[in-house]
Amino acid sequence: MAETEGGAVTRRKRPVQRLLSANHSPPEPEKPRREAELRCHRIQESLLSSASGFSNYRGVLNWCVIMLVLGNARLFLENIIKYGILVDPIQVVSLFLKDPYSWPSLCLVLASNIFILGSLQLERRLASGGVPERVGLFLYTIILSSILCIPVLVVFTVPSITPVGAVFALSVYTILFLKLFSYKDVNLWCRERRRTQVRALGRTQSVPLIQRSSGDAGKQSGVMYPGNLSHRDIYYFMFAPTLCYELNFPRSSRIRKRFLLRRLVEMLFIMQLLVGLIQQWMVPAIQNSMKPFRDMDYSRIIERLLKLAVPNHLIWLIFFYWFFHSSMNFVAELLRFGDREFYRDWWNSETVTYFWQNWNIPVHKWCIRHFYKPMMKCGVPKWAAQTAVFFASAFFHEYLVSVPLKMFRLWAFMGMMSQIPLAWFVGRFLRGNYGNAAVWISLIIGQPVAVLMYVHDYYILNYGISS
């Protein structure tokens, strides 16, 4: 009975075991699992090594920004405690005007319309054949030379013009020089192309004043040479945020009012911020640097230089954003100017050449189009053409500093020309992050050196050694 019952019990348990075996898989072999537990290492690089391929440093970037804000906040608080509030918006007006009844800088800017209208009339005579090309080139040489020379004469002969007002006027005339140079070249290329077409046809070809491109009604109409020789066209080019002339600029479909308002608010706020930082931070640092320069105390000079480097570089970065992003985008949006590439990623520059090619796109395009490529077509070696571009840039840097200060020290010129050997050294011996660090160091240290040299010489020249 027990056996029968035991057998019955045994027979009743077997279906249960089969059910459990169906629901649960058999245990895995323990040997592979034990080997996986024994091995916990593999060949790999540390994250901070370049060979690791890791690129997500967002946390480090946030940390750098926080440390930068805290460090500058401490310096700014120390400045307030030491000097008090130095910000005075009314003082800015005196930088432009000595005599409230005299506006020499503004009058000089308004007088630039003479050169604009003169260039337009000359182009019309050249298009109609009333003026030969050689005579037109001679007259353009006079116009462009006068644009650079007349402001210099005004600055040195009119005592009421201030250095800041002179910088503003000379900047306008420098932009005018570059724009009219491009205007001359493009119209010359149009005349040459038209003469080529006439010779190819073998007969006289009359070109309509304005010829519009065929297409849908919604598409923009194109203007053909010489239909571009109008007051509206040349003044649009004068105000457009570009230095390179075209007969038909790319245009946006409409004016975005919210975008325009944001840029306007940025312009007004950042302008006040720049004025405040210069008055509160830069001016005391520069004034405290005069005595070490006078005493030739080199250790103190280096200390003052490094102290000045922080506010100078911060102000330069803020100015870059104000001018190249806020201001130029505001003007472009107002004029519906389509090309908004005013700068590229210059902050990633691993070579000095890359920085100068990408931080100021309007000037870079002008140099390539009207200076570098024409020299290359004439057979000038590449290195000589690049050196000539740096030389021209150095001339205009010195022109915009020495003339307003009424002294010639060539610090800006030598600073620009020193970029040539620096570019060779960085491109030859430094790569990647090391090259980028070298570019940043040259920007942070180079500018304060030039500022201190000019301010020191200006004070010595105008106020004497005792000041």
Side-chain angles (χ1 to χ4, degrees), residues 23-43:
N23 293 335
H24 298 279
S25 60
E28 297 179 357
E30 295 185 357
K31 185 176 181 181
R33 186 180 66 183
R34 289 178 179 177
E35 289 182 356
E37 291 176 351
L38 292 175
R39 294 181 181 180
C40 63
H41 297 285
R42 61 186 177 88
I43 298 176

Side-chain angles (χ1 to χ4, degrees), residues 88-99 160 162-165:
D88 184 9
I90 304 300
Q91 187 182 9
V92 179
V93 180
S94 65
L95 297 177
F96 288 89
L97 298 175
K98 285 183 179 179
D99 183 3
S160 60
T162 62
V164 177

Side-chain angles (χ1 to χ4, degrees), residues 83 86 91 279 281-294 304 308 452 455 459 467:
Y83 301 107
L86 301 178
Q91 187 182 9
Q279 290 180 325
W281 207 351
M282 280 281 290
V283 173
I286 292 174
Q287 290 176 345
N288 293 333
S289 303
M290 293 300 99
K291 188 177 185 300
F293 264 90
R294 186 174 66 246
R304 294 296 177 183
L308 180 63
L452 287 179
V455 172
Y459 269 86
S467 63

Side-chain angles (χ1 to χ4, degrees), residues 81 96 146 161 180 197 245 358 389:
I81 295 173
F96 288 89
S146 301
I161 192 169
L180 289 183
Q197 294 174 350
Y245 177 68
N358 292 276
V389 171

Side-chain angles (χ1 to χ4, degrees), residues 301-311 444-445 448 452:
I301 289 175
I302 295 175
E303 185 268 337
R304 294 296 177 183
L305 176 64
L306 295 177
K307 188 175 182 179
L308 180 63
V310 175
I444 296 172
I445 301 298
L452 287 179

Side-chain angles (χ1 to χ4, degrees), residues 80-364:
I80 295 291
I81 295 173
K82 186 175 182 180
Y83 301 107
I85 303 297
L86 301 178
V87 179
D88 184 9
I90 304 300
Q91 187 182 9
V92 179
V93 180
S94 65
L95 297 177
F96 288 89
L97 298 175
K98 285 183 179 179
D99 183 3
Y101 299 99
S102 176
W103 299 76
S105 301
L106 181 59
C107 294
L108 194 58
V109 172
L110 293 177
S112 63
N113 289 279
I114 299 174
F115 303 104
I116 298 174
L117 297 176
S119 300
L120 176 61
Q121 294 301 321
L122 178 57
E123 282 296 338
R124 287 178 171 178
R125 299 296 183 273
L126 289 169
S128 63
V131 176
E133 289 293 339
R134 291 185 177 180
V135 176
L137 178 61
F138 175 74
L139 294 176
Y140 257 121
T141 303
I142 295 177
I143 292 174
L144 296 176
S145 301
S146 301
I147 290 174
L148 294 180
C149 295
I150 289 179
V152 177
L153 297 176
V154 173
V155 170
F156 277 90
T157 55
V158 178
S160 60
I161 192 169
T162 62
V164 177
V167 168
F168 173 73
L170 265 67
S171 299
V172 172
Y173 271 79
T174 301
I175 295 173
L176 179 63
F177 173 86
L178 299 176
K179 282 177 176 283
L180 289 183
F181 195 99
S182 178
Y183 189 72
K184 170 189 74 70
D185 276 359
V186 173
N187 284 297
L188 175 61
W189 298 337
C190 290
R191 289 194 299 274
E192 291 176 347
R193 185 175 62 179
R194 186 172 64 169
R195 285 194 291 266
T196 302
Q197 294 174 350
V198 170
R199 286 195 296 267
L201 294 174
R203 59 185 177 84
T204 304
Q205 177 177 327
S206 60
V207 180
L209 183 64
I210 297 179
Q211 181 177 343
R212 301 189 181 277
S213 59
S214 59
D216 298 334
K219 293 184 179 180
Q220 297 178 356
S221 58
V223 178
M224 301 290 291
Y225 183 84
N228 62 304
L229 303 179
S230 63
H231 292 87
R232 181 178 181 178
D233 179 87
I234 192 171
Y235 274 102
Y236 180 88
F237 174 53
M238 290 298 115
F239 286 101
T242 180
L243 299 175
C244 294
Y245 177 68
E246 288 184 18
L247 274 68
N248 298 283
F249 289 106
R251 304 290 295 275
S252 56
S253 59
R254 62 184 180 88
I255 298 177
R256 297 170 291 178
K257 295 181 177 59
R258 291 184 179 179
F259 181 87
L260 195 69
L261 183 60
R262 286 198 299 267
R263 300 288 84 80
L264 179 61
V265 172
E266 286 179 355
M267 289 170 57
L268 297 177
F269 172 76
I270 294 176
M271 186 183 301
Q272 298 299 323
L273 179 63
L274 286 172
V275 171
L277 289 177
I278 292 173
Q279 290 180 325
Q280 187 69 44
W281 207 351
M282 280 281 290
V283 173
I286 292 174
Q287 290 176 345
N288 293 333
S289 303
M290 293 300 99
K291 188 177 185 300
F293 264 90
R294 186 174 66 246
D295 300 337
M296 298 304 293
D297 187 351
Y298 294 106
S299 60
R300 295 287 292 173
I301 289 175
I302 295 175
E303 185 268 337
R304 294 296 177 183
L305 176 64
L306 295 177
K307 188 175 182 179
L308 180 63
V310 175
N312 178 84
H313 187 65
L314 180 62
I315 290 171
W316 180 78
L317 290 176
I318 296 174
F319 173 81
F320 168 81
Y321 185 89
W322 174 80
F323 184 77
F324 285 98
H325 185 75
S326 300
S327 300
M328 298 190 77
N329 269 294
F330 176 81
V331 176
E333 190 69 26
L334 196 63
L335 298 177
R336 294 173 47 217
F337 186 81
D339 188 0
R340 308 295 175 87
E341 191 185 37
F342 306 123
Y343 55 90
R344 298 192 189 110
D345 61 333
W346 57 265
W347 45 86
N348 293 326
S349 301
E350 298 179 0
T351 62
V352 177
T353 304
Y354 187 87
F355 168 78
W356 289 109
Q357 290 175 347
N358 292 276
W359 95 279
N360 190 339
I361 296 300
V363 171
H364 173 68

